[in-house]
Amino acid sequence: MISKELSQKLYADLIHGKTVNKQSYLIKTNELVENPFYNEVFNNLDEYKALYENISFELVHKHPGFFYVRSLNGDEANETTIKIQALLIVIGRIVTEKGYLFDTLTDYRAGIKLEDLNAAMEEERYTDILHTCKLCVGKNIEAEIKNNLISRELMFINSRGHYVLSNAGQSFFSALKDGYERDG
Amino acid sequence: MYIALDRTLILLIEHKDVMYRLIDYMDLHQRKDVPTEVFFNCIKDKITSVKAKNDAERLNEAFDLGNLVKTGVISEHNKSRGIVAFQPAIVEIFRLFDKERMRGLKKAEFENIRIQLENAFEQHQPLTFDDDNIQFQEQKNHLFDLLRQINSQVQNNSAHLQHEADRLSKHLDHDSALLSLHESKQHQEMLVQVKNIYDREIIPMLEFLNEKEYSKTKPPLTLIDNIGKLYAIRGYEDDSYYIGQYKLSILSHYKVVEKIKQTLQRYLHQEREHRLTYNAIEQAYLNLLELAQKTFTENLKDKYIFKAIDPQEIYYQGLKSHSSGQDALIEWQDRNHVVYFNEYLIDKQAKQRSDTSAPITTFSEKNTAHDPHNAIKRKIKMIVDKANISPPIDDLYLVVHDVLMEELGQEYHLKYVLYGVSCFKQKHGRRLKLQISFEQPQRQIRHNSYVLEYNKREFSA
């Protein structure tokens, strides 16, 4: 049975381009907990799918656990998603290039410091990519992460003030890895 | 002064750090000898660290190169190559003292053992098994020495592998690796070590202990079995029994190594996952960089890479942008909330306007007469107009540069040349004939660490 209260909040989030993650982070207690909104959709998946289909949206569920919606008529421009992808790839590259374990980016207790990202932004090779994706033009990396990743819950800031990938953010890298493995 | 071997050895054991340092050097550089210089430095450091004068003297005499050669601790001192090599047995003793310094058996060493067993089997076959046969006695003694040696090597090797697996697990299971860059790097180095140990030591040892897997050649344990059978057929059941016992003793390490293998497989999987993720990120990054670099052309239409990306490669395909989200929300429930929102904004802005006092500006403030750039522009124009620049002019830029530099002095900046040239062209451009020379490299004017590169402009009447 769909919860009226949860479904209204879910609609507001999904329609604004937010993702709904399996786990959500509680900064006060520094822990990951089950996300009631994710469970709500997961437990009533067929009903929610039908509901969104009736208003021309497709409810997308991806591994390892997040939902988002897209238009059924596919009229959404790709610019936003390319920006998100480019930003994630650049962050991933900075982490691995600096010598951190990739898990640093996925573990809610660890995360990557803003200083590390800012330091990397002084290098042209990163800014070249971001500028050609209309990113970091007049805004700094912090603002771009906030606008494109945190607001969509692809990343969150932990109690140490570090950036960490949510389920939706991790999912992108796991798909990237699978694709690389498949293509050999 | 000559110090006997036993005394020298006792001193070496009492001061193990000397040998450990030399062994570490050999392991690090993968060699069986050490440069004489390294040896002398090591001994010198040790002797200077000993405070008691008598002890220092005693060590100085015992660790003297001549004494170590004489006692046989050093088996080779090659002056022309500048190296010293220690007696292998002594190095092995020190390795036994410290498991961390024990060397694991590698594939080549296992193959060497297999060849020795094969040779022993071939040597035994034509022999007459008789206690009076000296050749048989020699081969038998050699065989048992060999089996004892193999047993001990395999035992040491499995102890070494167990120690390495424990050491690596202890570090790798620690969560703190994620919290600092230094520990992250250490964690990655250890994962590489796991892979090296797995590939170079564990797999060859398991192959060695496996009776079935040697495809082209006979497995070492089957060779021991065959030698045992040979002894049994020729009436030496007791010896055959002991050979069988050696085989079982060697084989008993299989389970231990298999367990170590399983322990390390977890990290091996982790290492593989890391490697794949790193490679995938690297590939995606390089692809993006390539696309970005392709946009660096003069064509302003290709400033962004959005069109160059294949829609199939977009992971969050169709994810709604914020603006479309807002539109959808505004039109929700058949009400166009934009109208209400705009009215609200108009009302709010009007209120704000009435609440704040408007800034008073006068014409003189808007006048840009005080703008330093306009002032300098006027000055440049005046200088160029007044200057006696008449055709033929070989290089207009250089002439204007010289004129402005002379007139403006400290105030002069290289970029003023461009404005000066433009002023000159505006005034004389119509009546003079201009010719531009395209030379490679372009001409340059340098001033106060600024450089202007340009194509020469000639003016003639």
Side-chain angles (χ1 to χ4, degrees), chain A residues 31-51:
Chain A
E31 59 181 349
L32 280 179
V33 292
E34 296 249 318
N35 184 359
F37 292 99
Y38 177 88
N39 290 345
E40 164 70 12
V41 183
F42 195 83
N43 293 335
N44 305 291
L45 192 55
D46 291 340
E47 285 158 282
Y48 271 102
K49 275 197 166 179
L51 186 70

Side-chain angles (χ1 to χ4, degrees), chain B residues 256-313:
Chain B
V256 179
V257 182
E258 185 63 37
K259 210 173 157 187
I260 296 169
K261 180 188 155 193
Q262 280 165 10
T263 313
L264 294 187
Q265 259 170 349
R266 187 158 58 99
Y267 305 116
L268 216 61
H269 176 72
Q270 203 183 342
E271 194 268 343
R272 186 175 173 274
E273 289 289 298
H274 280 191
R275 204 158 19 90
L276 280 174
T277 310
Y278 289 172
N279 290 348
I281 292 172
E282 192 64 20
Q283 195 188 48
Y285 160 76
L286 290 175
N287 288 345
L288 271 185
L289 194 63
E290 198 186 331
L291 288 177
Q293 280 165 354
K294 276 183 188 166
T295 64
F296 301 153
T297 59
E298 287 175 1
N299 187 356
L300 291 174
K301 283 183 181 172
D302 299 332
K303 251 168 84 178
Y304 302 113
I305 60 173
F306 301 120
K307 282 181 190 167
I309 290 181
D310 181 1
Q312 297 294 320
E313 288 176 14

Side-chain angles (χ1 to χ4, degrees), chain B residues 439-450:
Chain B
E439 298 168 345
Q440 274 305 330
Q442 288 182 305
R443 293 210 165 190
Q444 286 187 345
I445 300 174
R446 289 173 184 274
H447 178 75
N448 280 355
S449 75
Y450 287 90

Side-chain angles (χ1 to χ4, degrees), chain B residues 448-459:
Chain B
N448 280 355
S449 75
Y450 287 90
V451 183
L452 174 72
E453 284 191 346
Y454 63 96
N455 293 316
K456 190 177 86 167
R457 279 159 173 78
E458 284 176 60
F459 275 86

